[in-house]
Amino acid sequence: MRPPVALSIAGSDPSGGAGIQADLKTFSALGAYGACIITALTAQNTTGVYGIHEVPAPFVADQLRVLSEDVRLDAVKIGMLANAAIIETVAAFLAETPRDVVVLDPVMVATSGDLLLRDDAVRAMRDLLPLASVVTPNAPELAALLDTTEAGSVDELADQARELVRRGAQRVLAKGGHLDTGDEVADVLADPSGIELFRSQRVVTVNTHGTGCSLSSALAALRPQRPSWSSTVRDARSWLTTALEAADGLDIGHGHGPVHHFAQLWEGR
């Protein structure tokens, strides 16, 4: 059987742990053929981001047009979009050629808590929400999208996920990794029919670089291969847990190293 083709629209990470590089690794690990559209080049490593060079929006549009004219796209994952012009370009592409599987990881808030997008870009990001099959914000990003205070509990996270659905998102996977929930991590999947809670044991490691990118790209890779969003989320979270558990064995860099995307494939090599 032919594999699903998953497209990542995101920025480049030279360290290989996040962004386009993490997305392509995730697609490959989970049985999807990966294609990519680059929205920004970054100067970064495992200790931080030291510079960003944004790709002009018209060239992002050219990449999207040329690729989609030739290659079938079964799923789209959207990551770092950098500015309002690029967000609007991607929104126009999705509006003109709707896709059944569109995973939007709204990269908006840095680890420091600083907002990465200007006000006009935040507004454009909100307008992009209805075009995505699922939006995957962490707690700070969900608060930024709603212009409210950050959730402090799983119940508050669920309430905010429901609110984002009420405001037009088709489906929200609110990630609870930032919450102080002890040894457990809880994520909330919300859609117009209600919510579903996913719980798992927290993996203790400093090597979490690219976790959000990898989870959202796992959803894009798996949804064409799974019968529902619920089963997709379950299997994506299970794969990511394994990648986190094996992350320390990679020994990449001096900061927050990457998760081990190929832990299951490299075992016993």
Side-chain angles (χ1 to χ4, degrees), residues 70-85:
D70 178 54
V71 177
R72 61 177 170 81
L73 301 174
D74 299 300
V76 177
K77 177 267 169 83
I78 303 169
M80 178 185 179
L81 296 182
N83 60 48

Side-chain angles (χ1 to χ4, degrees), residues 99-175:
R99 307 286 167 177
D100 291 335
V101 179
V102 179
V103 181
L104 172 59
D105 183 18
V107 182
M108 301 172 63
V109 181
T111 303
S112 63
D114 295 328
L115 198 63
L116 295 176
L117 297 180
R118 295 184 293 270
D119 288 345
D120 61 337
V122 174
R123 290 192 294 271
M125 182 68 76
R126 291 179 183 133
D127 292 339
L128 183 59
L129 297 181
L131 297 173
S133 310
V134 63
V135 186
T136 63
N138 57 31
E141 290 161 347
L142 184 54
L145 287 169
L146 293 172
D147 193 20
T148 189
T149 56
E150 185 177 332
S153 68
V154 176
D155 287 343
E156 290 178 0
L157 190 73
D159 287 341
Q160 291 188 3
R162 289 190 193 96
E163 179 59 27
L164 199 62
V165 171
R166 282 194 287 268
R167 296 190 189 186
Q170 295 182 40
R171 189 175 288 100
V172 176
L173 178 63
K175 299 175 292 188

